[in-house]
Amino acid sequence: MTDTLTIRHGYYAGWGGADYEASPCGAQVRLYATRAASGFVPAGTGRYVRIVPLTEVEHLSYVTTRCVWRGEPFLVLAHHDGWLRVEYTGGRAPVAERLGLERFDRGVYQAWAPAREVAELREEWV
């Protein structure tokens, strides 16, 4: 299931009838594509960028992917080879410690979870 799953975490903008990874900057938005397209310029290997006025953007949203693992709520940050990088969002340090999560920063706990153990995988657009 996760081999074809796209984990989104960040800004996305609709422009020209398609959704792009995005980076808002004042009155402009940088749109990122994985293939060359008209008006996009190379920004690295397999990455292209186009800057458009914010007024041309159909929508601009912050997207996160969330899930439940071991009965607790998590944010999904990435996926690789059947594993998901998850960050605990339950806000209770004793629970995070009981789950054996790595303390990434004060109050921030993360882990690599087997994708087959994750439930309720969903995107939230704000």
Side-chain angles (χ1 to χ4, degrees):
M1 175 176 99
T2 58
D3 292 339
T4 59
L5 179 67
T6 300
I7 300 298
R8 297 191 226 203
H9 188 79
Y11 283 101
Y12 284 79
W15 180 78
D19 283 336
Y20 297 91
E21 285 184 56
S23 177
C25 184
Q28 299 179 323
V29 178
R30 287 182 186 88
L31 305 175
Y32 298 97
T34 56
R35 291 185 216 126
S38 178
F40 284 76
V41 296
T45 304
R47 193 153 165 90
Y48 301 84
V49 65
R50 178 174 182 158
I51 300 173
V52 299
L54 180 59
T55 56
E56 289 185 14
V57 170
E58 296 151 7
H59 66 84
L60 179 63
S61 303
Y62 195 86
V63 182
T64 56
T65 303
R66 298 189 178 271
C67 71
V68 173
W69 181 48
R70 297 180 177 173
E72 298 294 335
F74 286 85
L75 180 67
V76 182
L77 304 174
H79 69 97
H80 178 72
D81 201 23
W83 293 81
L84 298 176
R85 183 67 178 176
V86 295
E87 183 172 293
Y88 176 60
T89 59
R92 297 185 316 231
V95 172
E97 291 166 4
R98 176 179 50 82
L99 292 172
L101 306 177
E102 303 166 36
R103 183 176 173 192
F104 185 77
D105 200 353
R106 184 176 182 206
V108 179
Y109 296 88
Q110 296 181 354
W112 282 100
R116 68 184 179 282
E117 294 181 8
V118 170
E120 299 179 38
L121 200 59
R122 67 196 181 284
E123 283 187 346
E124 291 183 358
W125 291 65
V126 180

